[in-house]
Amino acid sequence: MRLVLLGAPGSGKGTQAARLKEHLQVPHISTGDLLRAEVAAGSPLGLQAKEVMARGELVSDDILLGMLKDRFSRDDTKAGFILDGYPRNLAQAAALDELLASLGQKFDAAVQLTVDNEQIVERLAGRAKAEGRADDNPESVRKRLEVYDQQTAPVIAFYRQHGQLTIVDGVGALDEVFNRIIEAIAPEKAVG
């Protein structure tokens, strides 16, 4: 099972990815974690990324794609993966398709977790209070949601056009949301 998890910040992607990883027995690949690991390891791509980040710039799609190509070539991804944090734009979605085709790997589904923006603001306000995160104040959360909507609308349309988009209601208890995802992508693996 090769999945992309889509959803606004605070929609529960990370939480559900961890659960899906255990249930489907495939790795959860977060591009943020992958980037940090490559930089820490001092790999050639990691060193390139470190230079870019030191200048305060965003890491290029080419560097991220190179890291993903390396990651997808490892044995633990042969049965699939859960990709979180990529693709964030249309160019990345097309590049991911090309990469998987070049590796002879079939893409299964993009799962979009939908949560009303005001519920996300409430969720993240709770997280901000619990974890002391200043970046989760309502004003900055609304701005991040606006940027997310602008950037990912084309990605969602891309997967919809390819018949690969699955929309799942991300509101409810963790188990309810998890079971909705499993029912949508792999009903044969659903939890009784």
Side-chain angles (χ1 to χ4, degrees), residues 43-72:
S43 73
L45 285 171
L47 293 173
Q48 277 184 295
K50 185 176 181 176
E51 265 184 51
V52 171
M53 293 184 304
R55 293 191 305 260
E57 298 171 8
L58 292 176
V59 174
S60 73
D61 289 352
D62 287 343
I63 293 173
L64 279 174
L65 200 62
M67 289 180 181
L68 285 172
K69 182 176 184 177
D70 178 60
R71 184 65 184 91
F72 292 161

Side-chain angles (χ1 to χ4, degrees), residues 58-180:
L58 292 176
V59 174
S60 73
D61 289 352
D62 287 343
I63 293 173
L64 279 174
L65 200 62
M67 289 180 181
L68 285 172
K69 182 176 184 177
D70 178 60
R71 184 65 184 91
F72 292 161
S73 69
R74 297 182 199 161
D75 285 342
D76 68 337
T77 64
K78 297 295 182 225
F81 55 80
I82 301 152
L83 190 55
D84 174 12
Y86 190 96
R88 291 185 186 266
N89 59 49
L90 200 51
Q92 289 179 351
L96 177 62
D97 252 16
E98 288 176 24
L99 173 60
L100 290 173
S102 75
L103 296 172
Q105 296 185 12
K106 183 179 135 312
F107 179 76
D108 293 297
V111 177
Q112 180 188 13
L113 288 178
T114 60
V115 178
D116 176 79
N117 281 357
E118 286 311 306
Q119 286 183 293
I120 288 176
V121 170
E122 286 178 33
R123 278 185 187 181
L124 294 183
R127 181 172 85 178
K129 191 174 181 181
E131 298 176 13
R133 291 181 57 159
D135 64 327
D136 282 343
N137 69 69
E139 186 178 305
S140 66
V141 169
R142 284 188 182 93
K143 181 64 179 162
R144 290 193 337 245
L145 291 172
E146 189 179 304
V147 169
Y148 172 81
D149 288 342
Q150 290 169 359
Q151 289 181 346
T152 58
V155 175
I156 291 164
F158 176 88
Y159 287 120
R160 184 177 285 120
Q161 288 170 347
H162 287 84
Q164 297 169 314
L165 182 67
T166 299
I167 299 172
V168 175
D169 180 2
V171 178
L174 293 177
D175 287 344
E176 291 171 358
V177 175
F178 176 76
N179 286 330
R180 283 184 213 130

